[in-house]
Amino acid sequence: MPRNAFYAQSGGVTAVINASAAGVIETARKHRKQIGKLYAGRNGILGALTEDLIDTSKESPAAIRALKNTPGGAFGSARYKLKGVEKGGHEYERLIEVFKAHDIGYFFYNGGNDSADTCLKVSQISATMGYPIVAVHVPKTVDNDLPITDTCPGFGSVAKYVSTSMMEAVLDVESMARTSTKVFILEVMGRHAGWITAATGLAQQKAGQGPHILLFPEVPWNEEAFLARVEESVKQHGYCAVGASEGIQDAEGRFLSESGLKDAFGHSQLGGVAPMLANLVQSKLKLKQHWAVADYLQRAARHIASKTDLEQSYAVGKAAVEYAVKGMNSVMPTIVRSSSRPYRWKIGVAKLSDVANVEKKMPRDFITPDGFHITAKCRNYLQPLISGEAFPPFENGLPKYVRLKNAAVRKKTQGVWNP
Amino acid sequence: MPRNAFYAQSGGVTAVINASAAGVIETARKHRKQIGKLYAGRNGILGALTEDLIDTSKESPAAIRALKNTPGGAFGSARYKLKGVEKGGHEYERLIEVFKAHDIGYFFYNGGNDSADTCLKVSQISATMGYPIVAVHVPKTVDNDLPITDTCPGFGSVAKYVSTSMMEAVLDVESMARTSTKVFILEVMGRHAGWITAATGLAQQKAGQGPHILLFPEVPWNEEAFLARVEESVKQHGYCAVGASEGIQDAEGRFLSESGLKDAFGHSQLGGVAPMLANLVQSKLKLKQHWAVADYLQRAARHIASKTDLEQSYAVGKAAVEYAVKGMNSVMPTIVRSSSRPYRWKIGVAKLSDVANVEKKMPRDFITPDGFHITAKCRNYLQPLISGEAFPPFENGLPKYVRLKNAAVRKKTQGVWNP
């Protein structure tokens, strides 16, 4: 007898997380003998806790196909970490209650480190509760910080966006520097790992071209060294372009962005490493500067997604279902690189116990000895990940993105979620 | 006997100003009887003042063709306004001296309001100096604020970038709002005119979808009305997306961005309307917010340029040369809209005396009565301008942009530029 399945999106969404959803849904539809209905959680795991399930069978094949072209989280995602067994485990119990009520035997959780841990626990706790659930994690994070997998679905597209944007901004600044902006700073995501910052470095294709400086969270912030390098770059090349991580921190681990900007009313200024750096450049070096903060634009930019990333995102969704119907439990499909030139990859598998709560930072030999740029080894790693274009369809000048019907499933439990 | 020509880029560069350069160069190459060499100014008009001319005949047809795909200013642009006759007119005299030395009889100046004025003066002053030059202005400005022409080359591509980016960010925020960011603010360019801000509004395709609020420089800033609207939007739709002009100002014309952020050292905080608004939302409404500042990314984003804009940018460059060889002087090619649905346009002509120093703001009936969004009339105007895609070629995952040889022409004058 087939059992139903539950899919949820977790944490920050990406340009291609819906491609993973499409991989899960389309593959589940091909395994009718094992998988009955595929339900999605409205707003991620909250959909399970509140028993707000979406019936994906109401969506047409065309709508599911269109998910491959649509950024954001089609069913809603959530930043929510289930309260663990040390707090009574009531949330896990509630989850199992809902799964039981809807005959859900498969759990697909699409997220990063936290959700890998949750996924593992669902598998373990459901077994101890006598209602064993096959739990498979579908990797997703723009931060590229999951272990074992060569890369994380979602990262390649951000990398393509930031490297393209940096390359374009550099051409702009370079052509105006004689009479206008001398220093340009682009702030990108990646609070703990410098992968996205590293990707901005791909825009530099010849020595002397921008970006000239990358600021990684892995390299302790040093104001003097930074300013000296900016000055040198402006002297040598006429301008200086900087790719800066939002997570720059000093040797004591204090975030630069928390070092105390105040507004006119004395309120703390929120975020914004780029404006801080720009201020520093202006006040200490008296150089005209401009800055950009890409924020959500970078992780939502489906219009410039990496084809490689898109294919991998779909492939991990597909593999997750294939593993699950084979009875593989507490696992995560991984991307395995077999060659960089030419780039070859395949899908592998990792045990969730090896994945959960492990953070992969930039290796030191991916960063130049002076700490300000990426090495050739890093370029070899990054370059294939941004390869290939996968433009969405356009209509009236704008990308044609799908919004699903997201029809609710009738509730069956009497229980409620007590957060 | 053919005479030489001079082309210069002026002011802020765009994703498609080089397409205008390609139009000028390719068309000049077709008029060998009238136009000899086409020189470009290195760093815009400074190239003429310093006699630093670039010989465009050294560039291959393929390189010139590739300009259509390349953002920034291929010869360098400048923010430099020639000192007028009231200051002695020495700079104009120096310009004519250089033009005379290189037998330059045609002047093509590619820019916005300021450069239209300069272009007109070059024509007038050269005539009074007995060395008449045919001066044609090639319109370019992302601000879309030149009069007479239906739109300004460069604007359509920024409009496409900001509307696409807003649409993508809205999908992101919408899917996370339940547990994460409730208010998202995207700051865009346009210090005096709200055209770019208006374009972010195109991302809203159905009532209720973001962006819910647009903040125009044309509408006096009202903190209470803004906060009330944000709160209402979050209540009704679960989130609020805002497109904000960098030039928001109060009824007295004071820019919001100059209202006094200080950093930890007491230095004035530079720019950044978005972080100010975000701070306000956080402190007054206690709503989680995120913000992005696109800055140069928006005007350099050739990867998402509007095909319409690209074609028009090329067409005005082409027309400029055609007008010049016909002896039309002190004019500017314009875009004339003959129909919106279906969109039809052709090239027209305007007298520079009607263009110089006139700024076209958003008509009041393009903005909704409450001041917070665009009207159907505005959508009808904007929509055709972002139509069509014109992706650049890609190589190894990144756009393939050209850098020209930019070979210098041997100097002939003894004079120097005394700014």
Side-chain angles (χ1 to χ4, degrees):
Chain A
M1 277 292 287
R3 296 181 72 192
N4 297 324
F6 177 78
Y7 166 81
Q9 303 179 320
S10 174
V13 292
T14 79
V16 293
I17 185 174
N18 288 332
S20 292
V24 168
I25 297 168
E26 291 185 349
T27 311
R29 288 181 178 187
K30 286 181 186 153
H31 290 86
R32 303 269 185 209
K33 281 188 192 163
Q34 294 103 322
I35 299 180
K37 292 260 190 180
L38 177 70
Y39 300 126
R42 194 185 308 276
N43 299 312
I45 201 70
L46 293 195
L49 293 169
T50 60
E51 204 188 348
D52 193 352
L53 308 182
I54 290 165
D55 185 351
T56 69
S57 73
K58 304 291 188 198
E59 309 292 342
S60 71
I64 298 304
R65 232 177 0 257
L67 286 180
K68 291 191 228 177
N69 300 323
T70 303
F75 308 106
S77 184
R79 288 206 183 280
Y80 190 80
K81 197 168 163 67
L82 288 188
K83 287 178 193 71
V85 181
E86 72 288 356
K87 295 210 173 171
H90 302 306
E91 292 195 325
Y92 281 96
E93 286 165 19
R94 167 67 180 154
L95 210 66
I96 308 298
E97 177 188 28
V98 171
F99 286 178
K100 218 167 169 175
H102 292 274
D103 193 25
I104 289 165
Y106 303 97
F107 175 47
F108 300 105
Y109 205 24
N110 201 171
N113 298 90
D114 274 2
S115 58
D117 179 59
T118 303
C119 198
L120 176 59
K121 286 190 181 130
V122 164
S123 159
Q124 293 167 339
I125 296 172
S126 67
T128 63
M129 286 176 67
Y131 185 80
I133 285 171
V134 175
V136 179
H137 188 244
V138 186
K140 173 265 358 172
T141 170
V142 297
D143 292 336
N144 203 38
D145 59 356
L146 287 170
I148 308 176
T149 186
D150 180 67
T151 184
C152 301
F155 169 67
S157 294
V158 177
K160 191 179 184 88
Y161 171 91
V162 299
S163 51
T164 298
S165 298
M166 177 60 92
M167 183 182 252
E168 292 175 333
V170 158
L171 281 168
D172 183 310
V173 175
E174 199 178 276
S175 62
M176 302 281 303
R178 174 75 193 270
T179 55
S180 184
T181 297
K182 299 279 191 288
V183 182
F184 172 73
I185 299 157
L186 171 61
E187 174 180 333
V188 299
M189 288 180 159
R191 204 149 182 81
H192 302 289
W195 294 106
I196 301 176
T197 306
T200 67
L202 288 173
Q204 185 192 54
Q205 302 199 307
K206 275 187 188 169
Q209 286 176 3
H212 308 93
I213 300 176
L214 306 183
L215 298 174
F216 300 100
E218 287 90 348
V219 178
W221 164 249
N222 179 328
E223 181 178 313
E224 278 163 40
F226 168 69
L227 289 173
R229 183 58 71 97
V230 169
E231 210 164 21
E232 188 193 323
S233 173
V234 173
K235 206 169 282 176
Q236 276 192 15
H237 312 297
Y239 72 106
C240 180
V242 181
S245 162
E246 62 178 345
I248 306 170
Q249 47 199 277
D250 62 19
E252 283 75 45
R254 282 176 303 223
F255 286 118
L256 196 64
S257 56
E258 285 169 5
S259 61
L261 274 185
K262 304 271 183 200
D263 68 13
F265 316 101
H267 303 127
S268 279
Q269 163 75 3
L270 301 151
V273 154
M276 289 207 64
L277 295 171
N279 252 11
L280 200 60
V281 163
Q282 181 87 41
S283 61
K284 298 284 170 80
L285 303 178
K286 316 286 179 211
L287 290 170
K288 180 169 159 62
Q289 45 63 40
H290 254 247
W291 52 270
V293 177
D295 195 57
Y296 292 153
L297 270 48
Q298 68 199 288
R299 73 178 196 196
R302 176 63 188 81
H303 75 272
I304 186 76
S306 152
K307 185 160 183 262
T308 300
D309 186 32
L310 184 73
E311 288 170 356
Q312 293 177 341
S313 299
Y314 185 88
V316 293
K318 177 171 177 275
V321 174
E322 289 167 351
Y323 290 165
V325 297
K326 279 185 200 159
M328 291 165 73
N329 197 350
S330 303
V331 294
M332 174 184 95
T334 59
I335 315 289
V336 179
R337 180 186 302 224
S338 46
S339 155
S340 279
R341 292 183 178 185
Y343 179 55
R344 289 204 194 91
W345 61 276
K346 59 184 182 193
I347 294 294
V349 65
K351 284 193 277 182
L352 279 187
S353 52
D354 295 337
V355 173
N357 299 316
V358 180
E359 203 175 62
K360 183 174 73 181
K361 297 207 175 194
M362 293 262 293
R364 190 57 186 85
D365 66 355
F366 275 27
I367 301 175
T368 52
D370 65 7
F372 284 131
H373 225 290
I374 51 173
T375 59
K377 195 169 176 185
C378 182
R379 286 177 186 273
N380 286 343
Y381 168 73
L382 290 173
Q383 201 285 316
L385 307 181
I386 65 168
S387 281
E389 293 67 56
F391 303 114
F394 280 73
E395 193 173 56
N396 298 323
L398 286 170
K400 197 177 166 186
Y401 294 140
V402 71
R403 274 181 168 85
L404 301 180
K405 286 183 278 187
N406 285 348
V409 176
R410 188 194 295 263
K411 287 185 202 265
K412 295 189 175 185
T413 74
Q414 302 301 319
V416 290
W417 170 46
N418 288 312
Chain B
M1 278 292 288
R3 296 181 74 195
N4 298 324
F6 176 78
Y7 166 81
Q9 302 179 321
S10 175
V13 292
T14 78
V16 294
I17 185 174
N18 288 332
S20 291
V24 168
I25 297 168
E26 291 185 350
T27 311
R29 287 180 178 187
K30 286 182 186 152
H31 290 86
R32 303 268 185 209
K33 283 187 189 161
Q34 295 103 322
I35 299 180
K37 293 260 189 180
L38 177 71
Y39 299 127
R42 194 185 310 275
N43 300 312
I45 201 70
L46 293 195
L49 294 168
T50 60
E51 203 188 349
D52 193 353
L53 307 183
I54 289 164
D55 186 350
T56 69
S57 74
K58 304 290 189 199
E59 309 293 343
S60 70
I64 298 304
R65 231 177 1 256
L67 286 180
K68 291 191 228 176
N69 300 322
T70 302
F75 308 106
S77 184
R79 288 205 182 282
Y80 190 81
K81 197 167 163 69
L82 288 187
K83 287 176 193 70
V85 182
E86 72 288 355
K87 297 213 170 168
H90 302 307
E91 292 195 327
Y92 282 96
E93 287 166 17
R94 168 66 180 153
L95 209 66
I96 309 298
E97 178 189 28
V98 171
F99 286 178
K100 217 166 168 176
H102 293 274
D103 193 23
I104 288 165
Y106 302 97
F107 175 46
F108 300 106
Y109 205 23
N110 201 170
N113 298 88
D114 273 3
S115 59
D117 179 61
T118 303
C119 198
L120 176 60
K121 287 190 180 129
V122 164
S123 160
Q124 292 166 339
I125 297 171
S126 66
T128 64
M129 286 175 68
Y131 184 79
I133 285 170
V134 175
V136 179
H137 188 244
V138 187
K140 173 260 8 167
T141 170
V142 296
D143 292 335
N144 203 38
D145 59 355
L146 287 170
I148 306 176
T149 185
D150 178 67
T151 184
C152 300
F155 169 68
S157 293
V158 176
K160 191 179 184 87
Y161 171 91
V162 299
S163 51
T164 298
S165 298
M166 177 60 92
M167 183 182 251
E168 292 175 333
V170 158
L171 280 168
D172 183 311
V173 175
E174 199 179 275
S175 62
M176 301 282 301
R178 173 77 193 268
T179 56
S180 183
T181 296
K182 300 279 193 288
V183 181
F184 173 73
I185 299 157
L186 171 60
E187 174 179 334
V188 299
M189 288 181 158
R191 205 151 181 78
H192 302 289
W195 293 106
I196 300 176
T197 307
T200 67
L202 288 174
Q204 185 192 53
Q205 301 198 310
K206 274 189 190 167
Q209 287 176 2
H212 307 95
I213 299 177
L214 306 182
L215 298 174
F216 300 99
E218 287 90 348
V219 178
W221 163 249
N222 179 329
E223 182 178 312
E224 278 163 41
F226 167 69
L227 290 173
R229 183 57 73 97
V230 169
E231 210 164 20
E232 188 193 323
S233 173
V234 173
K235 206 169 285 177
Q236 275 192 14
H237 312 298
Y239 73 105
C240 179
V242 181
S245 161
E246 62 178 346
I248 306 170
Q249 46 199 277
D250 63 18
E252 283 76 44
R254 282 176 304 222
F255 287 117
L256 196 63
S257 56
E258 286 168 6
S259 61
L261 273 185
K262 304 272 183 201
D263 68 12
F265 316 100
H267 302 127
S268 279
Q269 164 75 2
L270 301 150
V273 154
M276 289 207 62
L277 294 171
N279 253 9
L280 200 60
V281 163
Q282 180 87 41
S283 60
K284 297 284 171 78
L285 303 179
K286 316 289 179 208
L287 290 170
K288 182 168 158 62
Q289 45 63 39
H290 254 247
W291 52 270
V293 177
D295 195 57
Y296 293 154
L297 270 47
Q298 69 200 286
R299 73 179 196 195
R302 177 62 188 82
H303 75 272
I304 186 76
S306 151
K307 184 160 184 260
T308 300
D309 186 33
L310 184 73
E311 288 171 356
Q312 292 177 342
S313 299
Y314 185 88
V316 293
K318 177 171 178 274
V321 174
E322 289 168 350
Y323 290 165
V325 296
K326 280 186 201 157
M328 291 165 72
N329 197 351
S330 302
V331 294
M332 175 184 95
T334 58
I335 316 290
V336 179
R337 180 185 302 224
S338 45
S339 155
S340 279
R341 293 184 177 183
Y343 180 55
R344 289 205 194 90
W345 61 275
K346 58 185 182 193
I347 294 294
V349 65
K351 285 193 276 181
L352 279 188
S353 52
D354 295 336
V355 172
N357 299 316
V358 181
E359 203 175 60
K360 183 174 72 179
K361 298 209 175 193
M362 292 263 292
R364 190 56 185 85
D365 66 354
F366 274 29
I367 301 174
T368 52
D370 65 8
F372 284 131
H373 225 290
I374 52 173
T375 59
K377 195 169 177 185
C378 182
R379 285 176 187 272
N380 286 343
Y381 167 74
L382 290 173
Q383 201 285 316
L385 307 181
I386 66 167
S387 281
E389 292 68 56
F391 303 114
F394 280 74
E395 192 172 56
N396 297 322
L398 286 169
K400 198 177 166 186
Y401 294 140
V402 71
R403 275 182 167 84
L404 300 179
K405 287 183 279 188
N406 285 347
V409 176
R410 188 194 295 263
K411 287 185 201 264
K412 296 187 173 183
T413 74
Q414 302 301 318
V416 289
W417 170 46
N418 288 311

